[in-house]
Amino acid sequence: MKNSQLYKGSLNTIIMKLLEEQGRMYGYEITQKVKEITKGELNITEGALYPALHKLEAEGLLDVEVEKVDNRLRKYYKLTEKGATETVNRLAELEEFIKNMQTIVNPKLSY
Amino acid sequence: MKNSQLYKGSLNTIIMKLLEEQGRMYGYEITQKVKEITKGELNITEGALYPALHKLEAEGLLDVEVEKVDNRLRKYYKLTEKGATETVNRLAELEEFIKNMQTIVNPKLSY
DNA sequence: ATATATACATAATTTTCTTATGCATAACAT
DNA sequence: ATGTTATGCATAAGAAAATTATGTATATAT
């Protein structure tokens, strides 16, 4: 990812959320999309991304379609049915996580 | 921590924030405080906490004072000057992280 | 020609956590 | 009195997830 180790553990959720929103994406596209959304702050490294995609596929949460565009290979990923269900859970967990972290950072705002 | 791996990488920031706020705390107290703040959702395990405290101390970010209370040992930790400075940076990173994650989860709300 | 962008992949290592275990005292319930 | 829960620290083995460093290959811009 980047310097801040806070992103550790959030990569799978990020991937799944983007796929839920975009329908289907290929690896490189995901890295660019995240960079764009976070204004360059979060850079997903290939060494983290590709193994993560492979694992999600192995778990049956993603499906792959290989296509050749401009003579270059692209592997398009999309959520399976199981993956879509799981995404809902992960996003709920993420919201809880964010809420908890905000409570820790700013205890005065939570009541 | 708990089930959700999202908390990976956030333990150091949590410890430092609490110490900034509370002045000084001992390990067990930190686990209880976090449990209380998050209404039982986040349980810091000893296997994660103590090595983290030792590392922060080794990095010169924390100081320790050992005290005996009720015939039981307590190791009170507090931020060093270096630790206090670093805490400011880590909290800024945390706020950026939260903002970025919220943007990813809910892109419509960011403009 | 050379660098940058696009597009995938994996291997070695590091970081961080979980799980399991160990020691010891205090408080509480039966 | 005896067992369980709470308090308080610690470390070791293993798993999970990342970083860093490579490797391959095509396209595009300078």
PDB file of all heavy atoms in Angstrom, chain C residues 12-23:
ATOM      1  P    DA C  12      11.936 -18.127  -2.300  1.00  0.00           P
ATOM      2  OP1  DA C  12      13.140 -18.960  -2.499  1.00  0.00           O
ATOM      3  OP2  DA C  12      10.726 -18.697  -1.644  1.00  0.00           O
ATOM      4  O5'  DA C  12      12.368 -16.814  -1.494  1.00  0.00           O
ATOM      5  C5'  DA C  12      13.320 -15.906  -2.061  1.00  0.00           C
ATOM      6  C4'  DA C  12      13.556 -14.751  -1.100  1.00  0.00           C
ATOM      7  O4'  DA C  12      12.428 -13.848  -1.128  1.00  0.00           O
ATOM      8  C3'  DA C  12      13.729 -15.173   0.362  1.00  0.00           C
ATOM      9  O3'  DA C  12      14.751 -14.365   0.944  1.00  0.00           O
ATOM     10  C2'  DA C  12      12.361 -14.893   0.976  1.00  0.00           C
ATOM     11  C1'  DA C  12      11.886 -13.685   0.171  1.00  0.00           C
ATOM     12  N9   DA C  12      10.434 -13.575   0.031  1.00  0.00           N
ATOM     13  C8   DA C  12       9.525 -14.576  -0.175  1.00  0.00           C
ATOM     14  N7   DA C  12       8.289 -14.166  -0.286  1.00  0.00           N
ATOM     15  C5   DA C  12       8.378 -12.792  -0.140  1.00  0.00           C
ATOM     16  C6   DA C  12       7.410 -11.764  -0.153  1.00  0.00           C
ATOM     17  N6   DA C  12       6.107 -11.964  -0.331  1.00  0.00           N
ATOM     18  N1   DA C  12       7.847 -10.495   0.025  1.00  0.00           N
ATOM     19  C2   DA C  12       9.158 -10.273   0.201  1.00  0.00           C
ATOM     20  N3   DA C  12      10.162 -11.161   0.227  1.00  0.00           N
ATOM     21  C4   DA C  12       9.695 -12.414   0.054  1.00  0.00           C
ATOM     22  P    DT C  13      15.243 -14.628   2.464  1.00  0.00           P
ATOM     23  OP1  DT C  13      16.683 -14.332   2.521  1.00  0.00           O
ATOM     24  OP2  DT C  13      14.705 -15.927   2.927  1.00  0.00           O
ATOM     25  O5'  DT C  13      14.485 -13.467   3.255  1.00  0.00           O
ATOM     26  C5'  DT C  13      14.592 -12.119   2.787  1.00  0.00           C
ATOM     27  C4'  DT C  13      13.581 -11.247   3.468  1.00  0.00           C
ATOM     28  O4'  DT C  13      12.249 -11.572   3.019  1.00  0.00           O
ATOM     29  C3'  DT C  13      13.535 -11.367   5.004  1.00  0.00           C
ATOM     30  O3'  DT C  13      14.022 -10.149   5.530  1.00  0.00           O
ATOM     31  C2'  DT C  13      12.056 -11.625   5.313  1.00  0.00           C
ATOM     32  C1'  DT C  13      11.362 -11.195   4.033  1.00  0.00           C
ATOM     33  N1   DT C  13      10.029 -11.812   3.743  1.00  0.00           N
ATOM     34  C2   DT C  13       8.937 -10.995   3.576  1.00  0.00           C
ATOM     35  O2   DT C  13       8.980  -9.787   3.686  1.00  0.00           O
ATOM     36  N3   DT C  13       7.751 -11.643   3.275  1.00  0.00           N
ATOM     37  C4   DT C  13       7.567 -12.998   3.138  1.00  0.00           C
ATOM     38  O4   DT C  13       6.470 -13.464   2.862  1.00  0.00           O
ATOM     39  C5   DT C  13       8.766 -13.811   3.318  1.00  0.00           C
ATOM     40  C7   DT C  13       8.671 -15.304   3.186  1.00  0.00           C
ATOM     41  C6   DT C  13       9.926 -13.186   3.603  1.00  0.00           C
ATOM     42  P    DT C  14      14.087  -9.921   7.132  1.00  0.00           P
ATOM     43  OP1  DT C  14      15.222  -9.005   7.399  1.00  0.00           O
ATOM     44  OP2  DT C  14      14.000 -11.225   7.813  1.00  0.00           O
ATOM     45  O5'  DT C  14      12.737  -9.109   7.378  1.00  0.00           O
ATOM     46  C5'  DT C  14      12.412  -8.029   6.502  1.00  0.00           C
ATOM     47  C4'  DT C  14      11.106  -7.396   6.944  1.00  0.00           C
ATOM     48  O4'  DT C  14       9.986  -8.203   6.489  1.00  0.00           O
ATOM     49  C3'  DT C  14      10.955  -7.263   8.458  1.00  0.00           C
ATOM     50  O3'  DT C  14      10.546  -5.933   8.727  1.00  0.00           O
ATOM     51  C2'  DT C  14       9.900  -8.300   8.818  1.00  0.00           C
ATOM     52  C1'  DT C  14       9.080  -8.388   7.540  1.00  0.00           C
ATOM     53  N1   DT C  14       8.388  -9.689   7.291  1.00  0.00           N
ATOM     54  C2   DT C  14       7.063  -9.685   6.883  1.00  0.00           C
ATOM     55  O2   DT C  14       6.410  -8.666   6.757  1.00  0.00           O
ATOM     56  N3   DT C  14       6.526 -10.922   6.638  1.00  0.00           N
ATOM     57  C4   DT C  14       7.161 -12.143   6.755  1.00  0.00           C
ATOM     58  O4   DT C  14       6.566 -13.181   6.496  1.00  0.00           O
ATOM     59  C5   DT C  14       8.550 -12.084   7.183  1.00  0.00           C
ATOM     60  C7   DT C  14       9.314 -13.359   7.349  1.00  0.00           C
ATOM     61  C6   DT C  14       9.089 -10.872   7.423  1.00  0.00           C
ATOM     62  P    DT C  15      10.395  -5.417  10.255  1.00  0.00           P
ATOM     63  OP1  DT C  15      10.902  -4.039  10.313  1.00  0.00           O
ATOM     64  OP2  DT C  15      10.910  -6.458  11.175  1.00  0.00           O
ATOM     65  O5'  DT C  15       8.812  -5.374  10.389  1.00  0.00           O
ATOM     66  C5'  DT C  15       8.048  -4.868   9.311  1.00  0.00           C
ATOM     67  C4'  DT C  15       6.578  -5.004   9.617  1.00  0.00           C
ATOM     68  O4'  DT C  15       6.138  -6.345   9.301  1.00  0.00           O
ATOM     69  C3'  DT C  15       6.212  -4.767  11.084  1.00  0.00           C
ATOM     70  O3'  DT C  15       5.120  -3.865  11.077  1.00  0.00           O
ATOM     71  C2'  DT C  15       5.850  -6.155  11.607  1.00  0.00           C
ATOM     72  C1'  DT C  15       5.352  -6.853  10.356  1.00  0.00           C
ATOM     73  N1   DT C  15       5.496  -8.342  10.285  1.00  0.00           N
ATOM     74  C2   DT C  15       4.441  -9.085   9.782  1.00  0.00           C
ATOM     75  O2   DT C  15       3.399  -8.591   9.423  1.00  0.00           O
ATOM     76  N3   DT C  15       4.668 -10.438   9.720  1.00  0.00           N
ATOM     77  C4   DT C  15       5.809 -11.120  10.097  1.00  0.00           C
ATOM     78  O4   DT C  15       5.879 -12.329   9.980  1.00  0.00           O
ATOM     79  C5   DT C  15       6.875 -10.278  10.614  1.00  0.00           C
ATOM     80  C7   DT C  15       8.142 -10.931  11.059  1.00  0.00           C
ATOM     81  C6   DT C  15       6.669  -8.950  10.681  1.00  0.00           C
ATOM     82  P    DT C  16       4.534  -3.269  12.479  1.00  0.00           P
ATOM     83  OP1  DT C  16       3.981  -1.931  12.157  1.00  0.00           O
ATOM     84  OP2  DT C  16       5.566  -3.447  13.524  1.00  0.00           O
ATOM     85  O5'  DT C  16       3.317  -4.247  12.794  1.00  0.00           O
ATOM     86  C5'  DT C  16       2.310  -4.453  11.815  1.00  0.00           C
ATOM     87  C4'  DT C  16       1.408  -5.562  12.279  1.00  0.00           C
ATOM     88  O4'  DT C  16       2.030  -6.839  12.064  1.00  0.00           O
ATOM     89  C3'  DT C  16       1.069  -5.523  13.773  1.00  0.00           C
ATOM     90  O3'  DT C  16      -0.309  -5.313  13.900  1.00  0.00           O
ATOM     91  C2'  DT C  16       1.525  -6.873  14.310  1.00  0.00           C
ATOM     92  C1'  DT C  16       1.565  -7.714  13.051  1.00  0.00           C
ATOM     93  N1   DT C  16       2.477  -8.899  13.077  1.00  0.00           N
ATOM     94  C2   DT C  16       2.027 -10.104  12.576  1.00  0.00           C
ATOM     95  O2   DT C  16       0.912 -10.261  12.123  1.00  0.00           O
ATOM     96  N3   DT C  16       2.936 -11.134  12.632  1.00  0.00           N
ATOM     97  C4   DT C  16       4.217 -11.070  13.129  1.00  0.00           C
ATOM     98  O4   DT C  16       4.935 -12.074  13.131  1.00  0.00           O
ATOM     99  C5   DT C  16       4.632  -9.784  13.644  1.00  0.00           C
ATOM    100  C7   DT C  16       6.005  -9.614  14.197  1.00  0.00           C
ATOM    101  C6   DT C  16       3.757  -8.773  13.592  1.00  0.00           C
ATOM    102  P    DC C  17      -1.034  -5.107  15.344  1.00  0.00           P
ATOM    103  OP1  DC C  17      -2.081  -4.090  15.155  1.00  0.00           O
ATOM    104  OP2  DC C  17       0.012  -4.943  16.350  1.00  0.00           O
ATOM    105  O5'  DC C  17      -1.738  -6.531  15.585  1.00  0.00           O
ATOM    106  C5'  DC C  17      -2.711  -6.983  14.645  1.00  0.00           C
ATOM    107  C4'  DC C  17      -2.788  -8.498  14.638  1.00  0.00           C
ATOM    108  O4'  DC C  17      -1.478  -9.061  14.462  1.00  0.00           O
ATOM    109  C3'  DC C  17      -3.319  -9.119  15.922  1.00  0.00           C
ATOM    110  O3'  DC C  17      -4.692  -9.454  15.787  1.00  0.00           O
ATOM    111  C2'  DC C  17      -2.457 -10.376  16.112  1.00  0.00           C
ATOM    112  C1'  DC C  17      -1.526 -10.389  14.936  1.00  0.00           C
ATOM    113  N1   DC C  17      -0.157 -10.828  15.334  1.00  0.00           N
ATOM    114  C2   DC C  17       0.224 -12.139  15.066  1.00  0.00           C
ATOM    115  O2   DC C  17      -0.579 -12.900  14.505  1.00  0.00           O
ATOM    116  N3   DC C  17       1.464 -12.557  15.435  1.00  0.00           N
ATOM    117  C4   DC C  17       2.298 -11.712  16.048  1.00  0.00           C
ATOM    118  N4   DC C  17       3.511 -12.161  16.382  1.00  0.00           N
ATOM    119  C5   DC C  17       1.923 -10.361  16.329  1.00  0.00           C
ATOM    120  C6   DC C  17       0.689  -9.955  15.969  1.00  0.00           C
ATOM    121  P    DT C  18      -5.426 -10.178  17.078  1.00  0.00           P
ATOM    122  OP1  DT C  18      -6.861  -9.936  16.913  1.00  0.00           O
ATOM    123  OP2  DT C  18      -4.740  -9.790  18.333  1.00  0.00           O
ATOM    124  O5'  DT C  18      -5.122 -11.722  16.835  1.00  0.00           O
ATOM    125  C5'  DT C  18      -5.564 -12.350  15.636  1.00  0.00           C
ATOM    126  C4'  DT C  18      -5.381 -13.860  15.734  1.00  0.00           C
ATOM    127  O4'  DT C  18      -3.977 -14.182  15.881  1.00  0.00           O
ATOM    128  C3'  DT C  18      -6.090 -14.506  16.926  1.00  0.00           C
ATOM    129  O3'  DT C  18      -6.662 -15.733  16.470  1.00  0.00           O
ATOM    130  C2'  DT C  18      -4.961 -14.729  17.945  1.00  0.00           C
ATOM    131  C1'  DT C  18      -3.756 -14.953  17.049  1.00  0.00           C
ATOM    132  N1   DT C  18      -2.451 -14.504  17.610  1.00  0.00           N
ATOM    133  C2   DT C  18      -1.393 -15.393  17.651  1.00  0.00           C
ATOM    134  O2   DT C  18      -1.478 -16.554  17.289  1.00  0.00           O
ATOM    135  N3   DT C  18      -0.213 -14.879  18.144  1.00  0.00           N
ATOM    136  C4   DT C  18       0.018 -13.595  18.590  1.00  0.00           C
ATOM    137  O4   DT C  18       1.112 -13.246  19.012  1.00  0.00           O
ATOM    138  C5   DT C  18      -1.140 -12.716  18.526  1.00  0.00           C
ATOM    139  C7   DT C  18      -1.006 -11.296  18.994  1.00  0.00           C
ATOM    140  C6   DT C  18      -2.291 -13.202  18.048  1.00  0.00           C
ATOM    141  P    DT C  19      -7.702 -16.532  17.399  1.00  0.00           P
ATOM    142  OP1  DT C  19      -8.644 -17.203  16.496  1.00  0.00           O
ATOM    143  OP2  DT C  19      -8.204 -15.621  18.456  1.00  0.00           O
ATOM    144  O5'  DT C  19      -6.761 -17.628  18.070  1.00  0.00           O
ATOM    145  C5'  DT C  19      -5.862 -18.375  17.252  1.00  0.00           C
ATOM    146  C4'  DT C  19      -4.952 -19.215  18.127  1.00  0.00           C
ATOM    147  O4'  DT C  19      -3.792 -18.454  18.520  1.00  0.00           O
ATOM    148  C3'  DT C  19      -5.592 -19.738  19.423  1.00  0.00           C
ATOM    149  O3'  DT C  19      -5.404 -21.139  19.463  1.00  0.00           O
ATOM    150  C2'  DT C  19      -4.844 -19.007  20.531  1.00  0.00           C
ATOM    151  C1'  DT C  19      -3.497 -18.744  19.873  1.00  0.00           C
ATOM    152  N1   DT C  19      -2.706 -17.586  20.377  1.00  0.00           N
ATOM    153  C2   DT C  19      -1.342 -17.731  20.507  1.00  0.00           C
ATOM    154  O2   DT C  19      -0.754 -18.758  20.251  1.00  0.00           O
ATOM    155  N3   DT C  19      -0.680 -16.621  20.965  1.00  0.00           N
ATOM    156  C4   DT C  19      -1.232 -15.406  21.299  1.00  0.00           C
ATOM    157  O4   DT C  19      -0.532 -14.481  21.696  1.00  0.00           O
ATOM    158  C5   DT C  19      -2.667 -15.323  21.138  1.00  0.00           C
ATOM    159  C7   DT C  19      -3.366 -14.031  21.477  1.00  0.00           C
ATOM    160  C6   DT C  19      -3.329 -16.398  20.696  1.00  0.00           C
ATOM    161  P    DA C  20      -6.009 -22.027  20.682  1.00  0.00           P
ATOM    162  OP1  DA C  20      -6.421 -23.320  20.097  1.00  0.00           O
ATOM    163  OP2  DA C  20      -6.967 -21.220  21.489  1.00  0.00           O
ATOM    164  O5'  DA C  20      -4.702 -22.266  21.564  1.00  0.00           O
ATOM    165  C5'  DA C  20      -3.471 -22.625  20.919  1.00  0.00           C
ATOM    166  C4'  DA C  20      -2.347 -22.624  21.935  1.00  0.00           C
ATOM    167  O4'  DA C  20      -1.848 -21.281  22.113  1.00  0.00           O
ATOM    168  C3'  DA C  20      -2.750 -23.132  23.327  1.00  0.00           C
ATOM    169  O3'  DA C  20      -1.898 -24.213  23.689  1.00  0.00           O
ATOM    170  C2'  DA C  20      -2.574 -21.922  24.241  1.00  0.00           C
ATOM    171  C1'  DA C  20      -1.539 -21.089  23.483  1.00  0.00           C
ATOM    172  N9   DA C  20      -1.597 -19.646  23.764  1.00  0.00           N
ATOM    173  C8   DA C  20      -2.691 -18.824  23.770  1.00  0.00           C
ATOM    174  N7   DA C  20      -2.426 -17.570  24.058  1.00  0.00           N
ATOM    175  C5   DA C  20      -1.052 -17.566  24.254  1.00  0.00           C
ATOM    176  C6   DA C  20      -0.142 -16.542  24.585  1.00  0.00           C
ATOM    177  N6   DA C  20      -0.496 -15.274  24.781  1.00  0.00           N
ATOM    178  N1   DA C  20       1.165 -16.872  24.706  1.00  0.00           N
ATOM    179  C2   DA C  20       1.520 -18.153  24.514  1.00  0.00           C
ATOM    180  N3   DA C  20       0.761 -19.207  24.195  1.00  0.00           N
ATOM    181  C4   DA C  20      -0.525 -18.838  24.079  1.00  0.00           C
ATOM    182  P    DT C  21      -2.230 -25.064  25.043  1.00  0.00           P
ATOM    183  OP1  DT C  21      -1.794 -26.443  24.741  1.00  0.00           O
ATOM    184  OP2  DT C  21      -3.594 -24.764  25.535  1.00  0.00           O
ATOM    185  O5'  DT C  21      -1.183 -24.431  26.074  1.00  0.00           O
ATOM    186  C5'  DT C  21       0.179 -24.279  25.677  1.00  0.00           C
ATOM    187  C4'  DT C  21       0.916 -23.307  26.566  1.00  0.00           C
ATOM    188  O4'  DT C  21       0.424 -21.970  26.352  1.00  0.00           O
ATOM    189  C3'  DT C  21       0.741 -23.533  28.065  1.00  0.00           C
ATOM    190  O3'  DT C  21       1.818 -24.335  28.540  1.00  0.00           O
ATOM    191  C2'  DT C  21       0.778 -22.110  28.661  1.00  0.00           C
ATOM    192  C1'  DT C  21       0.901 -21.212  27.445  1.00  0.00           C
ATOM    193  N1   DT C  21       0.120 -19.944  27.531  1.00  0.00           N
ATOM    194  C2   DT C  21       0.797 -18.762  27.740  1.00  0.00           C
ATOM    195  O2   DT C  21       2.001 -18.714  27.854  1.00  0.00           O
ATOM    196  N3   DT C  21       0.011 -17.647  27.803  1.00  0.00           N
ATOM    197  C4   DT C  21      -1.363 -17.587  27.687  1.00  0.00           C
ATOM    198  O4   DT C  21      -1.951 -16.527  27.767  1.00  0.00           O
ATOM    199  C5   DT C  21      -2.019 -18.867  27.472  1.00  0.00           C
ATOM    200  C7   DT C  21      -3.512 -18.920  27.331  1.00  0.00           C
ATOM    201  C6   DT C  21      -1.257 -19.970  27.408  1.00  0.00           C
ATOM    202  P    DG C  22       1.854 -24.839  30.049  1.00  0.00           P
ATOM    203  OP1  DG C  22       2.789 -25.981  30.089  1.00  0.00           O
ATOM    204  OP2  DG C  22       0.460 -25.012  30.521  1.00  0.00           O
ATOM    205  O5'  DG C  22       2.480 -23.612  30.844  1.00  0.00           O
ATOM    206  C5'  DG C  22       3.715 -23.032  30.407  1.00  0.00           C
ATOM    207  C4'  DG C  22       4.036 -21.833  31.266  1.00  0.00           C
ATOM    208  O4'  DG C  22       3.319 -20.681  30.751  1.00  0.00           O
ATOM    209  C3'  DG C  22       3.572 -21.983  32.713  1.00  0.00           C
ATOM    210  O3'  DG C  22       4.683 -22.229  33.563  1.00  0.00           O
ATOM    211  C2'  DG C  22       2.937 -20.639  33.058  1.00  0.00           C
ATOM    212  C1'  DG C  22       3.131 -19.780  31.828  1.00  0.00           C
ATOM    213  N9   DG C  22       1.961 -18.945  31.558  1.00  0.00           N
ATOM    214  C8   DG C  22       0.726 -19.344  31.128  1.00  0.00           C
ATOM    215  N7   DG C  22      -0.122 -18.353  30.996  1.00  0.00           N
ATOM    216  C5   DG C  22       0.599 -17.236  31.379  1.00  0.00           C
ATOM    217  C6   DG C  22       0.218 -15.870  31.452  1.00  0.00           C
ATOM    218  O6   DG C  22      -0.876 -15.361  31.192  1.00  0.00           O
ATOM    219  N1   DG C  22       1.260 -15.070  31.900  1.00  0.00           N
ATOM    220  C2   DG C  22       2.521 -15.520  32.227  1.00  0.00           C
ATOM    221  N2   DG C  22       3.387 -14.601  32.653  1.00  0.00           N
ATOM    222  N3   DG C  22       2.897 -16.782  32.155  1.00  0.00           N
ATOM    223  C4   DG C  22       1.892 -17.583  31.724  1.00  0.00           C
ATOM    224  P    DC C  23       4.386 -22.497  35.140  1.00  0.00           P
ATOM    225  OP1  DC C  23       5.542 -23.253  35.609  1.00  0.00           O
ATOM    226  OP2  DC C  23       2.999 -23.015  35.318  1.00  0.00           O
ATOM    227  O5'  DC C  23       4.418 -21.025  35.777  1.00  0.00           O
ATOM    228  C5'  DC C  23       5.595 -20.220  35.674  1.00  0.00           C
ATOM    229  C4'  DC C  23       5.322 -18.871  36.300  1.00  0.00           C
ATOM    230  O4'  DC C  23       4.325 -18.198  35.506  1.00  0.00           O
ATOM    231  C3'  DC C  23       4.752 -18.978  37.719  1.00  0.00           C
ATOM    232  O3'  DC C  23       5.662 -18.463  38.670  1.00  0.00           O
ATOM    233  C2'  DC C  23       3.476 -18.148  37.685  1.00  0.00           C
ATOM    234  C1'  DC C  23       3.537 -17.401  36.370  1.00  0.00           C
ATOM    235  N1   DC C  23       2.180 -17.232  35.759  1.00  0.00           N
ATOM    236  C2   DC C  23       1.633 -15.952  35.695  1.00  0.00           C
ATOM    237  O2   DC C  23       2.266 -14.989  36.131  1.00  0.00           O
ATOM    238  N3   DC C  23       0.394 -15.789  35.153  1.00  0.00           N
ATOM    239  C4   DC C  23      -0.279 -16.855  34.698  1.00  0.00           C
ATOM    240  N4   DC C  23      -1.479 -16.646  34.175  1.00  0.00           N
ATOM    241  C5   DC C  23       0.273 -18.172  34.760  1.00  0.00           C
ATOM    242  C6   DC C  23       1.483 -18.310  35.297  1.00  0.00           C
TER     243       DC C  23
END
